[in-house]
Structures are given as structure tokens and as C-alpha cells.
Amino acid sequence: YKMISSELTKRDKSFFLSLFSFGKEPKKLKKISLQLTSIFLPLFFWSIICQLGIVSEMFLPSPMAVFYSLLDMAGSGILFEDIFASTGRVFGGFIFATILSVPLGIAMGAFPSFCALCEPLIAMLRYMPAAAFSPLLIIYLGIEEAPKISLIFIGTVYFNVLMVMDSVKFVPKELIETTLTLGGNTKDLLIKVIARYSLPSIIDTLRINIATSWNLVIVAELIAAEVGIGKRIQLAQRFFRTDQIFAELIVLGIIGFVLDMSFRFLLKYTCKWAV
């Protein structure tokens, strides 16, 4: 019995220490089990708290209550209508921000004089909360989709620009000098060297900052929206439907996880040399 107990203790210590081993990639099966644990362990504790009645169900609904609320919204079609509306706004604002920020960030990183011209203004605008522009956006653009998409654009574009600019600054000077020595022009330098070398960092920047767009969609949908996840959360709060609030938050998390994994796959298959 002592030998078995000692062996189990050693295994527990070995497992715990392996969680904090520097640079050591876990085996595939272990990695999957750890990822599943990160999801099901909080769910387990959530269920236990609800079963014991530690917190009133009015404030913390049980996982089953949230699940049934999710089914109810899906059955009525409300859930899919909200998802479609919110994702459309997020992608609208984020795509416009990407189209502007990536070329601008590359130019600022490649040309120091151009950076000196643009960076102070962009750095200042970055610290202005996007939500503070809401009154102006309503005055200028009305209450339809334009102000919501614009709010997401404003809240994302400046972060994209500065992070893309920083990634360009890490391009080795030897590559730039070699390209110029071999007769490369500015176009070749920007497209074939700087943009290509920075592509993994640019994709990673977009992966990180699309989370900002998702955070902003909740604020954007408070601007006279009729449908959307943010609007549904606001209505649920008004009628004290905490089960609906939790359900919509879980939907937000699932969509965010899918988007994050999509960018990871994009990085893996377009920049194999960097993975």
C-alpha cells in the first residue's frame, strides 16, 4: 500500500511540475486532455455551487437552465438572428479596419519619416475610448447600421496600425540591405520582403484585435439596435433573465473561440515557415 501511495504521489508531483516546464510541448493526448479540463472543470464547479444552493438561482442559474434557455432561443430563431446581426457588424467594422491599418502600418514601419508624421496622432486617438464617439456617430450617421460598424472600426483600427508597425520594425536590416544591393526597388522591398516577413505577426495581430471588435459590438448594439447579442443581453437584464445573459455570453465565447482557431489555422497554412 505504501509503495502504491508513494508511486501515485510521485506521479502527481511529476504531472504538476510538467505544467510549468519551460518550452516543453506536451504530447498530443495530454494537450487535448488539458484543453478539455480547462472547459469542464469550471463547468463542474459551477454545477456543484448551484446544486448546493450557495448562490440564488436568480443570480447564478444552473448550467441546465442556461442550456434550456439556449435551446429556447434557438428554437424560436432569436439566437441565430442575433448571431447573424452581431457577426455582420463585427466583420464589417473589422474588415474596413484591416484594409486601412495593414498598408498604413507597413508604411509607418518601413518609412521613419512617414511614421514621425502619423504616429503622434494615431497614438493620441488610440487612447480615446471608442464608446465616447457614439453621440457623434449618431449625429453624423443616424441610427441604422453605419454608426455601429463605424464604432467597431474606430475601436480596432488604431491598435491594428501600431501593432503592424511594430512587427515591421523587427524585419532584419540585413534582408533590406541585401534586397537593395541586388537591385530591388521600393515595391519589391515592401511586398516581397517586408510584407512577407511580417505576415505571421500581422495575422497574429488580427487574431488578437478581433477580440476588441467583439467587445465593442456589445457597446455598438446599445445604439438603437433591434437585434444582436448585445441588445439581447440588455433586454435580458431589463427582465432579470440571468439565464439568457449567461447563454448569450457563452455564445459570444464560442464564436470568439472559433474565430481564434480560424486565425491560428490561417497562420499555420499560410506561414508554415513561421509555425
Side-chain angles (χ1 to χ4, degrees):
Y1 173 77
K2 288 182 179 179
M3 289 178 63
I4 294 171
S5 177
S6 176
E7 185 64 29
L8 289 173
T9 304
K10 287 180 181 178
R11 287 183 183 179
D12 289 342
K13 287 181 178 178
S14 175
F15 175 78
F16 181 76
L17 291 173
S18 70
L19 293 175
F20 301 97
S21 55
F22 286 102
K24 187 177 180 182
E25 187 72 20
K27 293 180 180 179
K28 189 173 182 180
L29 185 61
K30 183 180 178 182
K31 186 176 181 179
I32 292 171
S33 66
L34 288 171
Q35 290 171 336
L36 291 174
T37 300
S38 73
I39 295 172
F40 287 107
L41 192 61
L43 188 63
F44 171 75
F45 284 116
W46 180 11
S47 300
I48 292 297
I49 290 170
C50 291
Q51 287 290 330
L52 295 175
I54 297 172
V55 181
S56 169
E57 193 163 341
M58 290 181 66
F59 298 99
L60 182 66
S62 67
M64 289 306 298
V66 173
F67 178 69
Y68 286 132
S69 177
L70 203 59
L71 286 181
D72 184 55
M73 288 190 291
S76 64
I78 291 173
L79 180 64
F80 302 109
E81 190 178 4
D82 289 340
I83 291 173
F84 181 78
S86 295
T87 51
R89 290 161 186 154
V90 169
F91 281 120
F94 187 76
I95 288 170
F96 282 127
T98 301
I99 291 170
L100 176 64
S101 62
V102 172
L104 184 57
I106 291 174
M108 287 174 63
F111 306 114
S113 297
F114 184 69
C115 179
L117 174 67
C118 299
E119 188 175 14
L121 177 62
I122 292 175
M124 183 177 67
L125 290 170
R126 182 168 64 105
Y127 283 96
M128 295 181 183
F133 288 89
S134 299
L136 288 175
L137 292 175
I138 293 173
I139 292 170
Y140 296 154
L141 302 174
I143 59 172
E144 299 299 327
E145 293 301 310
K148 302 173 185 63
I149 294 172
S150 299
L151 183 68
I152 294 168
F153 169 84
I154 291 169
T156 309
V157 66
Y158 305 120
F159 291 97
N160 277 355
V161 169
L162 294 179
M163 290 176 72
V164 170
M165 178 192 72
D166 285 340
S167 68
V168 169
K169 288 181 177 180
F170 284 102
V171 176
K173 294 188 183 301
E174 294 81 6
L175 281 177
I176 296 173
E177 291 170 358
T178 302
T179 304
L180 294 174
T181 302
L182 294 174
N185 54 31
T186 303
K187 181 181 176 182
D188 293 330
L189 186 64
L190 287 173
I191 297 174
K192 296 182 179 180
V193 177
I194 293 175
R196 187 168 295 182
Y197 187 92
S198 305
L199 184 59
S201 297
I202 292 171
I203 293 175
D204 213 38
T205 292
L206 299 179
R207 180 181 68 84
I208 293 168
N209 286 339
I210 197 169
T212 304
S213 298
W214 268 106
N215 291 332
L216 286 168
V217 77
I218 305 301
V219 178
E221 287 175 349
L222 299 180
I223 306 175
E226 294 183 2
V227 292
I229 295 174
K231 182 64 176 181
R232 196 66 52 196
I233 290 173
Q234 184 189 35
L235 290 173
Q237 178 262 334
R238 187 179 300 171
F239 295 103
F240 216 82
R241 292 292 307 275
T242 51
D243 54 337
Q244 280 192 5
I245 295 174
F246 272 83
E248 295 284 7
L249 289 174
I250 289 170
V251 169
L252 279 172
I254 292 171
I255 294 172
F257 178 76
V258 170
L259 288 172
D260 190 82
M261 293 305 297
S262 300
F263 275 104
R264 289 179 187 271
F265 281 120
L266 178 64
L267 179 63
K268 181 178 179 180
Y269 288 108
T270 59
C271 308
K272 293 182 179 180
W273 73 90
V275 179

